Structures are given as C-alpha cells and as structure tokens.
Short mmCIF file of all heavy atoms in Angstrom, two decimals:
data_model
loop_
_atom_site.label_atom_id
_atom_site.label_comp_id
_atom_site.label_asym_id
_atom_site.label_seq_id
_atom_site.Cartn_x
_atom_site.Cartn_y
_atom_site.Cartn_z
N ARG I 1326 10.26 -90.65 -76.47
CA ARG I 1326 11.70 -90.41 -76.46
C ARG I 1326 12.23 -90.19 -77.87
O ARG I 1326 13.07 -89.32 -78.10
CB ARG I 1326 12.43 -91.58 -75.80
CG ARG I 1326 12.33 -91.57 -74.29
CD ARG I 1326 13.32 -92.53 -73.66
NE ARG I 1326 13.19 -93.88 -74.20
CZ ARG I 1326 12.57 -94.88 -73.59
NH1 ARG I 1326 12.01 -94.68 -72.41
NH2 ARG I 1326 12.51 -96.06 -74.14
N ARG I 1327 11.72 -90.96 -78.83
CA ARG I 1327 12.15 -90.81 -80.23
C ARG I 1327 11.79 -89.42 -80.75
O ARG I 1327 12.60 -88.75 -81.38
CB ARG I 1327 11.50 -91.88 -81.10
CG ARG I 1327 11.82 -91.75 -82.56
CD ARG I 1327 11.16 -92.89 -83.37
NE ARG I 1327 11.03 -92.48 -84.74
CZ ARG I 1327 9.95 -91.95 -85.29
NH1 ARG I 1327 8.85 -91.77 -84.58
NH2 ARG I 1327 9.93 -91.60 -86.56
N LEU I 1328 10.56 -88.97 -80.48
CA LEU I 1328 10.13 -87.65 -80.93
C LEU I 1328 10.95 -86.54 -80.28
O LEU I 1328 11.33 -85.57 -80.93
CB LEU I 1328 8.63 -87.45 -80.65
CG LEU I 1328 7.70 -88.32 -81.48
CD1 LEU I 1328 6.27 -88.24 -80.94
CD2 LEU I 1328 7.74 -87.93 -82.95
N LEU I 1329 11.25 -86.69 -78.99
CA LEU I 1329 12.10 -85.71 -78.31
C LEU I 1329 13.48 -85.67 -78.95
O LEU I 1329 14.04 -84.60 -79.18
CB LEU I 1329 12.20 -86.04 -76.82
CG LEU I 1329 10.95 -85.77 -75.98
CD1 LEU I 1329 11.10 -86.41 -74.60
CD2 LEU I 1329 10.69 -84.28 -75.86
N ASP I 1330 14.05 -86.84 -79.24
CA ASP I 1330 15.37 -86.90 -79.88
C ASP I 1330 15.37 -86.25 -81.25
O ASP I 1330 16.38 -85.69 -81.68
CB ASP I 1330 15.84 -88.35 -80.02
CG ASP I 1330 16.22 -88.99 -78.69
OD1 ASP I 1330 16.42 -88.25 -77.70
OD2 ASP I 1330 16.32 -90.23 -78.64
N LEU I 1331 14.24 -86.31 -81.95
CA LEU I 1331 14.13 -85.69 -83.28
C LEU I 1331 13.96 -84.18 -83.20
O LEU I 1331 14.04 -83.49 -84.20
CB LEU I 1331 12.97 -86.32 -84.06
CG LEU I 1331 13.17 -87.76 -84.51
CD1 LEU I 1331 11.87 -88.32 -85.08
CD2 LEU I 1331 14.29 -87.85 -85.54
N GLY I 1332 13.68 -83.65 -82.01
CA GLY I 1332 13.55 -82.21 -81.84
C GLY I 1332 12.15 -81.71 -81.55
O GLY I 1332 11.94 -80.50 -81.43
N PHE I 1333 11.18 -82.59 -81.42
CA PHE I 1333 9.81 -82.20 -81.11
C PHE I 1333 9.69 -82.03 -79.60
O PHE I 1333 9.17 -82.89 -78.90
CB PHE I 1333 8.81 -83.23 -81.63
CG PHE I 1333 8.79 -83.32 -83.13
CD1 PHE I 1333 9.55 -84.27 -83.79
CD2 PHE I 1333 8.04 -82.44 -83.88
CE1 PHE I 1333 9.53 -84.35 -85.17
CE2 PHE I 1333 8.02 -82.50 -85.26
CZ PHE I 1333 8.77 -83.46 -85.91
N VAL I 1334 10.23 -80.91 -79.09
CA VAL I 1334 10.25 -80.65 -77.66
C VAL I 1334 9.24 -79.57 -77.32
O VAL I 1334 9.02 -78.64 -78.11
CB VAL I 1334 11.66 -80.24 -77.19
CG1 VAL I 1334 12.64 -81.38 -77.38
CG2 VAL I 1334 12.14 -79.00 -77.91
N PRO I 1335 8.59 -79.66 -76.16
CA PRO I 1335 7.64 -78.61 -75.77
C PRO I 1335 8.31 -77.23 -75.81
O PRO I 1335 9.43 -77.05 -75.33
CB PRO I 1335 7.24 -79.01 -74.35
CG PRO I 1335 7.37 -80.51 -74.38
CD PRO I 1335 8.60 -80.77 -75.20
N GLY I 1336 7.62 -76.29 -76.43
CA GLY I 1336 8.13 -74.94 -76.61
C GLY I 1336 8.89 -74.75 -77.92
O GLY I 1336 9.15 -73.62 -78.32
N GLY I 1337 9.24 -75.83 -78.58
CA GLY I 1337 9.97 -75.75 -79.84
C GLY I 1337 9.06 -75.42 -81.01
O GLY I 1337 7.86 -75.71 -80.99
N ALA I 1338 9.65 -74.80 -82.03
CA ALA I 1338 8.89 -74.44 -83.23
C ALA I 1338 8.91 -75.59 -84.24
O ALA I 1338 9.89 -76.32 -84.35
CB ALA I 1338 9.50 -73.19 -83.87
N VAL I 1339 7.81 -75.72 -84.97
CA VAL I 1339 7.69 -76.72 -86.02
C VAL I 1339 6.90 -76.12 -87.17
O VAL I 1339 5.97 -75.35 -86.96
CB VAL I 1339 7.03 -78.03 -85.49
CG1 VAL I 1339 5.63 -77.78 -84.99
CG2 VAL I 1339 7.04 -79.11 -86.54
N THR I 1340 7.31 -76.45 -88.40
CA THR I 1340 6.64 -75.95 -89.60
C THR I 1340 6.28 -77.13 -90.49
O THR I 1340 7.11 -78.01 -90.72
CB THR I 1340 7.56 -75.00 -90.39
OG1 THR I 1340 7.97 -73.93 -89.54
CG2 THR I 1340 6.86 -74.43 -91.61
N ALA I 1341 5.04 -77.16 -90.98
CA ALA I 1341 4.64 -78.18 -91.96
C ALA I 1341 5.17 -77.72 -93.31
O ALA I 1341 4.78 -76.66 -93.81
CB ALA I 1341 3.13 -78.33 -91.98
N LEU I 1342 6.06 -78.50 -93.90
CA LEU I 1342 6.73 -78.09 -95.13
C LEU I 1342 6.10 -78.66 -96.39
O LEU I 1342 5.93 -77.94 -97.38
CB LEU I 1342 8.21 -78.51 -95.09
CG LEU I 1342 9.03 -77.91 -93.95
CD1 LEU I 1342 10.43 -78.51 -93.95
CD2 LEU I 1342 9.09 -76.40 -94.09
N GLN I 1343 5.77 -79.95 -96.38
CA GLN I 1343 5.29 -80.58 -97.61
C GLN I 1343 4.61 -81.91 -97.30
O GLN I 1343 5.06 -82.65 -96.43
CB GLN I 1343 6.50 -80.83 -98.52
CG GLN I 1343 6.18 -81.44 -99.84
CD GLN I 1343 7.44 -81.61 -100.69
OE1 GLN I 1343 8.55 -81.36 -100.25
NE2 GLN I 1343 7.25 -82.02 -101.92
N GLU I 1344 3.52 -82.17 -98.01
CA GLU I 1344 2.85 -83.47 -97.94
C GLU I 1344 3.36 -84.35 -99.07
O GLU I 1344 3.68 -83.85 -100.15
CB GLU I 1344 1.35 -83.33 -98.15
CG GLU I 1344 0.59 -82.82 -96.97
CD GLU I 1344 -0.90 -82.80 -97.25
OE1 GLU I 1344 -1.31 -82.75 -98.43
OE2 GLU I 1344 -1.64 -82.83 -96.30
N SER I 1345 3.37 -85.64 -98.84
CA SER I 1345 3.66 -86.56 -99.94
C SER I 1345 2.47 -86.53 -100.89
O SER I 1345 1.38 -86.07 -100.52
CB SER I 1345 3.89 -87.97 -99.41
OG SER I 1345 2.67 -88.55 -99.02
N PRO I 1346 2.63 -87.01 -102.12
CA PRO I 1346 1.51 -87.01 -103.06
C PRO I 1346 0.27 -87.74 -102.54
O PRO I 1346 -0.84 -87.44 -102.94
CB PRO I 1346 2.07 -87.71 -104.29
CG PRO I 1346 3.55 -87.49 -104.21
CD PRO I 1346 3.87 -87.49 -102.73
N TRP I 1347 0.44 -88.68 -101.63
CA TRP I 1347 -0.69 -89.44 -101.09
C TRP I 1347 -1.19 -88.86 -99.78
O TRP I 1347 -2.09 -89.39 -99.15
CB TRP I 1347 -0.28 -90.90 -100.89
CG TRP I 1347 0.17 -91.50 -102.18
CD1 TRP I 1347 -0.63 -92.04 -103.16
CD2 TRP I 1347 1.49 -91.56 -102.68
NE1 TRP I 1347 0.14 -92.43 -104.22
CE2 TRP I 1347 1.45 -92.15 -103.96
CE3 TRP I 1347 2.73 -91.16 -102.19
CZ2 TRP I 1347 2.58 -92.37 -104.73
CZ3 TRP I 1347 3.85 -91.37 -102.96
CH2 TRP I 1347 3.77 -91.97 -104.20
N GLY I 1348 -0.56 -87.75 -99.31
CA GLY I 1348 -0.99 -87.10 -98.08
C GLY I 1348 -0.34 -87.62 -96.82
O GLY I 1348 -0.55 -87.07 -95.74
N ASP I 1349 0.44 -88.67 -96.91
CA ASP I 1349 1.08 -89.25 -95.74
C ASP I 1349 2.35 -89.97 -96.19
O ASP I 1349 2.26 -90.78 -97.12
CB ASP I 1349 0.12 -90.25 -95.08
CG ASP I 1349 0.46 -90.57 -93.65
OD1 ASP I 1349 1.16 -89.77 -93.01
OD2 ASP I 1349 -0.01 -91.61 -93.16
N PRO I 1350 3.52 -89.67 -95.68
CA PRO I 1350 3.81 -88.82 -94.54
C PRO I 1350 3.87 -87.33 -94.92
O PRO I 1350 3.73 -86.97 -96.08
CB PRO I 1350 5.19 -89.30 -94.08
CG PRO I 1350 5.86 -89.73 -95.34
CD PRO I 1350 4.73 -90.32 -96.18
N VAL I 1351 4.13 -86.51 -93.89
CA VAL I 1351 4.27 -85.07 -94.07
C VAL I 1351 5.68 -84.69 -93.60
O VAL I 1351 6.15 -85.23 -92.59
CB VAL I 1351 3.21 -84.30 -93.25
CG1 VAL I 1351 3.42 -82.80 -93.36
CG2 VAL I 1351 1.81 -84.69 -93.72
N ALA I 1352 6.33 -83.78 -94.33
CA ALA I 1352 7.65 -83.29 -93.94
C ALA I 1352 7.48 -82.07 -93.05
O ALA I 1352 6.73 -81.15 -93.39
CB ALA I 1352 8.47 -82.95 -95.17
N TYR I 1353 8.17 -82.07 -91.92
CA TYR I 1353 8.12 -80.97 -90.97
C TYR I 1353 9.53 -80.42 -90.76
O TYR I 1353 10.49 -81.19 -90.69
CB TYR I 1353 7.57 -81.43 -89.61
CG TYR I 1353 6.16 -81.94 -89.68
CD1 TYR I 1353 5.88 -83.29 -89.76
CD2 TYR I 1353 5.09 -81.05 -89.67
CE1 TYR I 1353 4.58 -83.76 -89.83
CE2 TYR I 1353 3.78 -81.51 -89.74
CZ TYR I 1353 3.54 -82.87 -89.82
OH TYR I 1353 2.25 -83.32 -89.89
#
C-alpha cells in the first residue's frame, strides 16, 4: 500500500536517477 501511494503502480513508468555514494538508497 505504501509503494502504491508513492506512485509505484503497475503500468507506471519509473526511472533510476541516482545512487547514494554507498549504493543504497537509490533515487527513482
């Protein structure tokens, strides 16, 4: 439910924008 509220819905587009210097987390 949290991911859906954030916009991660089936059929939706997502782009990997940037990794943190340690590799985690990643900005989408």
Side-chain angles (χ1 to χ4, degrees):
R1326 283 193 306 259
R1327 177 179 158 264
L1328 291 169
L1329 288 168
D1330 288 344
L1331 290 171
F1333 295 95
V1334 295
V1339 61
T1340 303
L1342 300 174
Q1343 181 178 6
E1344 283 184 336
S1345 74
W1347 301 276
D1349 200 20
V1351 176
Y1353 298 98

